[in-house]
Amino acid sequence: MQRALVFGATGGIGQAICADLANAGWSLYVHCSQNWQKAYTMAEGMSQKYPSQDFIPIKLDFLAKNDELKEFVSELLPVNAVVFAQGVTDYNFVSSQNMTKIDEVLHINLITPIKLTGLLEPHLIKNDYSRIVYLGSVYGGSGSAMEAVYSSSKSGLERFAQAYSREVASANLTVNVLAPGAVNTSMNSILAPEAMEEVRGEIPVGRLAEGKDISYWVKTLLDVNSGYLTGQTIYVSGGWLI
């Protein structure tokens, strides 16, 4: 049985990823940081729709201490793939940014994913093939003013994936980053409607991405036939900021 662990499963993109992977035959760990009821409801719904697959809701705070991360991983059933779809931002000038908030953005977007990757590696490389996909951002390649810390966290994720992929390539573990552009999720709701309309006008395809535009590529990267693609960042941005 193929099983994927989807971090950030209750978010806008995470929900689409879970729906696509479940439809493709994957069993899933449905992760949340806070919204347990949402994760539980998602798992229940997919269990009813796909009774031959397993859907397990799990909870982990990405600000957890090292011992908590180790305990979390130690209790997991075998997994073939891990998708890091969690992420936060803080729209602010660096000079005005709360230092605790800077720590939170870096830990949730970069530091904890790196730690979990190291802890999960022994589980993943036991398989004939395995996959890791990180959700980056177009701003990892083209930094965003007012989101400098967020941009740096996503850029760091790209470089980490590029380097780490070389360590595990011989174990048939591929490591890639999908970097969305502007996506129609709650993360972008902080922007005024006029600002979002301006962004939409800058995107060559003329619209924001939907979750399914990203989940399609996650599903593709997890496929058994994608084994020669590793260490890459794929920008799914509708042609924006390239």
Side-chain angles (χ1 to χ4, degrees):
M1 178 181 291
Q2 293 185 126
R3 181 178 289 108
L5 167 52
V6 181
F7 288 112
T10 59
I13 297 176
Q15 291 180 56
I17 291 170
C18 288
D20 260 9
L21 292 182
N23 188 54
W26 287 82
S27 291
L28 301 175
Y29 274 115
V30 182
H31 165 264
C32 68
S33 292
Q34 305 295 332
N35 196 347
W36 172 255
Q37 187 57 52
K38 181 66 176 178
Y40 180 83
T41 301
M42 287 174 60
E44 282 288 293
M46 288 184 288
S47 293
Q48 293 175 13
K49 190 173 183 179
Y50 306 102
S52 64
Q53 297 157 234
D54 295 332
F55 301 95
I56 306 171
I58 50 172
K59 186 175 181 180
L60 176 70
D61 189 336
F62 265 53
L63 299 176
K65 297 184 183 302
N66 292 338
D67 287 345
E68 295 174 87
L69 299 179
K70 292 177 182 177
E71 181 180 1
F72 171 84
V73 171
S74 71
E75 295 177 350
L76 294 174
L77 295 170
V79 293
N80 306 76
V82 183
V83 181
F84 288 89
Q86 85 302 326
V88 294
T89 190
D90 183 41
Y91 198 70
N92 218 328
F93 290 109
V94 172
S95 59
S96 302
Q97 212 157 21
N98 180 282
M99 290 189 178
T100 300
K101 181 59 70 173
I102 291 174
D103 288 340
E104 289 180 3
V105 172
L106 291 175
H107 270 86
I108 292 171
N109 292 354
L110 179 61
I111 296 172
T112 297
I114 290 175
K115 291 179 178 180
L116 286 170
T117 296
L119 292 171
L120 287 161
E121 180 186 310
H123 301 264
L124 290 166
I125 63 175
K126 292 178 181 178
N127 304 308
D128 292 335
Y129 78 96
S130 48
R131 307 282 185 254
I132 296 176
V133 177
Y134 304 99
L135 263 289
S137 169
V138 69
Y139 289 145
S142 179
S144 171
M146 303 288 287
E147 290 184 289
V149 177
Y150 174 79
S151 298
S152 65
S153 70
K154 294 301 187 178
S155 178
L157 204 57
E158 292 183 15
R159 296 288 74 76
F160 171 75
Q162 183 183 55
Y164 178 65
S165 68
R166 296 171 179 170
E167 296 182 17
V168 294
S170 62
N172 295 318
L173 169 54
T174 65
V175 184
N176 293 290
V177 177
L178 280 178
V183 186
N184 187 22
T185 65
S186 59
M187 182 178 284
N188 284 317
S189 65
I190 59 174
L191 297 175
E194 310 83 60
M196 287 308 303
E197 192 58 36
E198 183 177 344
V199 168
R200 188 177 289 105
E202 295 174 354
I203 300 172
V205 301
R207 65 174 177 88
L208 272 62
E210 300 296 334
K212 64 182 181 179
D213 293 312
I214 312 304
S215 63
Y216 168 82
W217 293 104
V218 173
K219 182 179 68 174
T220 300
L221 288 175
L222 265 56
D223 189 86
V224 64
N225 295 312
S226 69
Y228 204 67
L229 180 68
T230 193
Q232 304 303 308
T233 296
I234 302 171
Y235 290 94
V236 187
S237 66
W240 185 47
L241 294 180
I242 293 177

